[in-house]
């Protein structure tokens, strides 16, 4: 098939590579403009652009896809289908109606659950035990189009968003190939979503990333792994913001206010929560690199005031963790 591919982040790259490997005619790649990145604010290429250039595919980077010049470019390319994988802009009606087989989107959730910007993060944060990909025929709504195919993967209690992202990225590429083949031979037909079952995965904010130690341990653990590797959960301490990347559920308990350091392990330290203790195993202190929490804990002392959000403003500790 003659395809225009739209995508931007690393999640999209396996899909682009799979389309080319399968022999499809990817006549152009559309991605977001290069953006400043890092402390030096140097322009960085979107991952999909890097992949496209390595494959010898022309790249188009419109600031807005509603621009008439860009729409005219698409018309000249005359794609049979437009494939969209984590592109980052909403397509106008003119583009949605352009290709013979429509605009096909690969979305990283089991629709209609987790429509929106951060479906993988919220699946993990909310403690889901499974997730997957859905291909759909795009309409003018936000992830509301008729579904084509789905696949599923299981989520373990210690899986991170990073791990699930990589699994869905690879499995989604194959799902996309199966979808295109089924559309051509007629074996895949669109099925409308049940909008009554829809849920949303909004953008992440600093308020969402902040840990509330009064929550149950499992809920905090899910937030930590759901925000790993990006943007990371954090706690406010007397030493500044402490990012927390990894934790372990513990059967230990201590009668302390939530947010107190309750003891130490070889891998880190225990913090009291709303229903017990949570072991913290990987952190990043402010202005420093990520490190095992066991290394960071060497600078902590039982009884030292540390977490600002401790309910009475003091750090309580226990020799028995």
């Amino acid at each position: 098939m003659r395809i225009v591919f739209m995508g931007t982040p690393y999640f999209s790259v396996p899909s682009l590579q799979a389309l080319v490997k399968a022999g499809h005619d990817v006549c152009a790649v559309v991605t977001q403009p290069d953006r400043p990145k890092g402390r030096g604010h140097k322009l960085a290429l979107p991952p999909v652009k890097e992949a496209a250039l390595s494959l010898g595919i022309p790249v188009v980077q419109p600031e807005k896809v509603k621009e008439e010049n860009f729409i005219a470019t698409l018309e000249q390319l005359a794609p049979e289908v437009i494939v969209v994988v984590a592109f980052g802009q909403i397509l106008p009606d003119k583009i949605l109606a352009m290709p013979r087989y429509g605009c096909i989107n690969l979305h990283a959730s089991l629709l209609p659950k987790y429509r929106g910007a951060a479906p993988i993060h919220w699946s993990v944060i909310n403690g889901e035990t499974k997730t997957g990909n859905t291909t759909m025929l795009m309409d003018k709504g936000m992830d509301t189009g008729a579904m084509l195919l789905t696949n599923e993967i299981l989520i373990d209690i210690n899986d991170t968003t990073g791990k699930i992202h990589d699994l869905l990225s690879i499995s989604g590429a194959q799902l996309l190939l199966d979808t295109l083949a089924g559309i051509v031979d007629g074996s895949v037909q669109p099925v409308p979503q049940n909008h009554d079952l829809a849920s949303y995965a909004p953008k992440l904010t600093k308020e969402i990333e902040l840990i509330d130690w009064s929550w149950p341990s499992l809920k905090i653990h899910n937030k930590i792994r759901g925000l790993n590797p990006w943007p990371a959960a954090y706690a406010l301490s007397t030493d500044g913001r402490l990012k927390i990347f990894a934790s372990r559920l513990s059967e230990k308990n201590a009668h302390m206010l939530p947010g107190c350091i309750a003891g130490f392990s070889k891998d880190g330290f225990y913090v009291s929560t709303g229903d017990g203790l949570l072991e913290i195993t990987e952190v990043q202190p402010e202005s420093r690199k990520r490190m095992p929490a066991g290394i960071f804990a060497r600078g902590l002392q039982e009884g030292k005031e540390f977490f600002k959000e401790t309910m009475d403003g003091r750090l309580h500790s226990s020799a028995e963790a």
Side-chain angles (χ1 to χ4, degrees):
M1 298 179 74
R2 184 170 173 82
I3 296 171
V4 166
F5 183 88
M6 294 184 173
T8 301
Y10 286 107
F11 184 86
S12 316
V13 171
S15 291
L16 173 60
Q17 294 171 332
L19 290 172
V20 173
K21 186 176 181 180
H24 289 285
D25 176 18
V26 181
C27 57
V29 164
V30 181
T31 190
Q32 300 278 44
D34 301 350
R35 304 291 188 194
K37 188 176 182 181
R39 293 184 178 180
H41 298 287
K42 293 182 179 179
L43 286 180
L45 278 60
V48 164
K49 180 178 180 179
E50 293 182 342
L53 293 176
S54 70
L55 293 167
I57 303 172
V59 176
V60 185
Q61 294 178 274
E63 194 67 43
K64 300 291 183 182
V65 291
K66 294 181 180 180
E67 296 171 358
E68 289 300 325
N69 287 343
F70 172 70
I71 292 175
T73 297
L74 278 187
E75 290 174 339
Q76 291 174 0
L77 289 169
E80 294 178 276
V81 65
I82 294 176
V83 171
V84 182
V85 184
F87 172 52
Q89 293 188 44
I90 302 228
L91 304 188
D93 290 342
K94 280 186 178 181
I95 294 179
L96 293 174
M98 190 181 298
R100 172 186 175 187
Y101 293 106
C103 296
I104 306 301
N105 177 233
L106 173 68
H107 184 74
S109 82
L110 298 173
L111 290 172
K113 293 188 73 173
Y114 298 111
R115 296 172 177 173
I120 303 176
H121 289 87
W122 284 105
S123 294
V124 180
I125 290 170
N126 288 340
E128 300 286 358
T129 58
K130 70 177 181 180
T131 186
N133 291 294
T134 304
T135 50
M136 65 176 165
L137 189 62
M138 296 176 69
D139 61 17
K140 61 183 179 180
M142 174 66 75
D143 302 324
T144 56
M147 300 181 295
L148 298 167
L149 289 178
T150 63
N151 62 8
E152 294 184 1
I153 64 168
L154 298 179
I155 305 177
D156 182 76
I157 191 62
N158 291 310
D159 283 342
T160 65
T161 284
K163 178 179 178 179
I164 300 304
H165 169 282
D166 292 349
L167 291 173
L168 290 178
S169 179
I170 298 300
S171 64
Q174 182 58 53
L175 186 70
L176 190 55
L177 294 180
D178 295 342
T179 299
L180 294 177
I183 287 174
V184 172
D185 67 21
S187 62
V188 172
Q189 296 295 323
V191 177
Q193 295 186 42
N194 184 342
H195 301 302
D196 293 336
L197 299 179
S199 62
Y200 290 88
K203 290 182 179 180
L204 302 170
T205 64
K206 290 297 181 186
E207 290 75 20
I208 290 169
E209 296 156 23
L210 178 63
I211 291 173
D212 183 343
W213 297 110
S214 69
W215 286 3
S217 295
L218 178 58
K219 188 174 181 180
I220 299 172
H221 176 67
N222 289 342
K223 172 179 277 195
I224 291 169
R225 65 193 182 92
L227 297 173
N228 178 347
W230 181 89
Y234 72 94
L236 299 176
S237 76
T238 56
D239 294 334
R241 181 175 294 171
L242 179 71
K243 291 184 177 181
I244 300 179
F245 286 93
S247 59
R248 271 200 296 257
L249 295 170
S250 173
E251 295 182 358
K252 296 177 182 293
N253 208 337
H255 299 291
M256 296 178 162
L257 293 173
C260 299
I261 301 293
F264 303 97
S265 68
K266 66 181 181 65
D267 295 321
F269 57 94
Y270 296 97
V271 180
S272 57
T273 68
D275 67 351
L277 298 181
L278 185 66
E279 184 183 5
I280 306 303
T281 59
E282 187 178 7
V283 299
Q284 183 178 7
E286 194 165 329
S287 301
R288 296 170 65 185
K289 295 181 178 180
R290 285 173 65 166
M291 63 180 67
I295 294 175
F296 174 77
R298 295 171 189 169
L300 298 178
Q301 296 177 359
E302 293 191 19
K304 174 188 173 185
E305 293 186 3
F306 190 68
F307 286 116
K308 289 184 177 181
E309 62 268 42
T310 301
M311 292 174 64
D312 65 353
R314 294 174 298 158
L315 179 67
H316 298 264
S317 62
S318 171
E320 296 295 323

